[in-house]
Amino acid sequence: MDGNLKPACKLAGEDGNIFFILGRVSRTLKENGKTEQAKEVSERVMASGSYDEALQIIMEYVEVE
């Protein structure tokens, strides 16, 4: 990933459903003009082996609030 500033994404209070979280992250990235990164994070999360790994990947793309 490039060194651009990561957009903020509020995830506090979410139910732990990785698909819901990924949807919110993807939407946040797209709203911030990062469509390619939205696609990339989705692909990487879907290929991840665990919930924890998926969250680590997500945190590379957005600043979690």
Side-chain angles (χ1 to χ4, degrees):
M1 199 179 118
D2 60 21
N4 290 346
L5 203 58
K6 297 187 286 188
C9 185
K10 186 175 184 330
L11 297 180
E14 297 309 333
D15 66 359
N17 181 319
I18 197 64
F19 300 107
F20 182 85
I21 292 170
L22 182 57
R24 178 164 285 180
V25 168
S26 180
R27 185 170 56 251
T28 297
L29 288 167
K30 289 175 183 174
E31 288 171 352
N32 284 275
K34 297 178 182 289
T35 304
E36 191 57 39
Q37 289 181 3
K39 180 180 177 213
E40 183 179 301
V41 72
S42 294
E43 290 170 354
R44 289 184 64 203
V45 165
M46 293 307 222
S48 68
S50 70
Y51 181 79
D52 288 337
E53 183 182 350
L55 290 180
Q56 290 298 319
I57 292 166
I58 284 169
M59 289 189 286
E60 292 177 26
Y61 292 84
V62 295
E63 196 65 47
V64 176
E65 295 183 332

